[in-house]
Amino acid sequence: AQSVTQLGSHVSVSEGALVLLRCNYSSSVPPYLFWYVQYPNQGLQLLLKYTSAATLVKGINGFEAEFKKSETSFHLTKPSAHMSDAAEYFCAVSPPFDQKVTFGIGTKLQVIP
Amino acid sequence: DGGITQSPKYLFRKEGQNVTLSCEQNLNHDAMYWYRQDPGQGLRLIYYSQIVNDFQKGDIAEGYSVSREKKESFPLTVTSAQKNPTAFYLCASSRTGSGANVLTFGAGSRLTVL
């Protein structure tokens, strides 16, 4: 079985501050990991993915995430928050070559001017 | 442009009625998915299909049914057996066998039971 845990359903940061959204995973096999972003009343779009290549993954809009096997973590970071980053962010896990993708509960990011 | 179309965007239903949500994709993806989104609960998988005429239950399949008669289409029926159907429903698709299930999502359908 696979699962992800997102710590903090709401995170607030000041504009220009570091963004850190936490995700820990559980998987019986080395997983594929993803971060998606959702703007209000829209579908989700992919920010970045980890597929067992480089452990530091860069995505769109200046976001990146680091896969740490020893900590079973895949935290999402961005050095400097922008107002347009305000959205809900979802971490997801999938075993290799299995179509089932499991999502976390999401973290709503608020950016304060 | 390729993508996923969900319809209707908003739907109201009386208790006891079945309702069908449409999902069509022109991405030539083999796999399709239905998720339900509720505040504070993230996305929960209802059903998914890896190939035409085949589908698997997800984590919360009770009260829902699907069909996959065409590669492009994966409609979801919310039956009267679903006790709490008010939610935001998201359809997605992906390639298979590529080694990483990157999902492409539709814009969603919001169902409200009156």
Side-chain angles (χ1 to χ4, degrees), chain A residues 32 34 36 38 41-46 49-51 88 90 94-106, chain B residues 9 31 33 35 37 40-43 45 48 50 59 88 90 94-97 99-103 105-107 110:
Chain A
Y32 292 150
F34 311 84
Y36 286 83
Q38 184 183 34
N41 295 311
Q42 295 185 24
L44 281 69
Q45 61 185 83
L46 181 73
K49 63 181 180 183
Y50 167 76
T51 58
E88 190 160 18
F90 292 90
S94 169
F97 302 106
D98 184 332
Q99 296 307 127
K100 186 175 181 182
V101 182
T102 302
F103 285 81
I105 65 169
Chain B
K9 189 170 179 65
Y33 308 74
Y35 287 90
Q37 184 176 15
Q41 298 194 55
L43 277 68
L45 183 63
Y48 64 108
Q50 300 181 69
D59 300 316
F88 190 52
L90 287 161
S94 75
R95 293 196 170 113
T96 57
N101 306 327
V102 175
L103 302 182
F105 282 85
R110 188 169 297 280

Side-chain angles (χ1 to χ4, degrees), chain A residues 14-85:
Chain A
S14 298
E15 191 175 16
L18 171 72
V19 175
L20 170 61
L21 304 182
R22 299 179 186 273
C23 174
N24 289 88
Y25 70 89
S26 173
S27 179
S28 56
V29 297
Y32 292 150
L33 294 159
F34 311 84
W35 277 98
Y36 286 83
V37 62
Q38 184 183 34
Y39 298 98
N41 295 311
Q42 295 185 24
L44 281 69
Q45 61 185 83
L46 181 73
L47 273 180
L48 49 81
K49 63 181 180 183
Y50 167 76
T51 58
S52 74
T55 56
L56 182 62
V57 181
K58 295 186 184 299
I60 62 172
N61 300 338
F63 284 94
E64 62 182 37
E66 186 172 8
F67 173 74
K68 291 188 176 180
K69 184 178 178 181
S70 60
E71 299 177 7
T72 61
S73 69
F74 191 57
H75 303 330
L76 182 71
T77 60
K78 182 174 180 178
S80 176
H82 191 273
M83 295 300 294
S84 61
D85 295 327

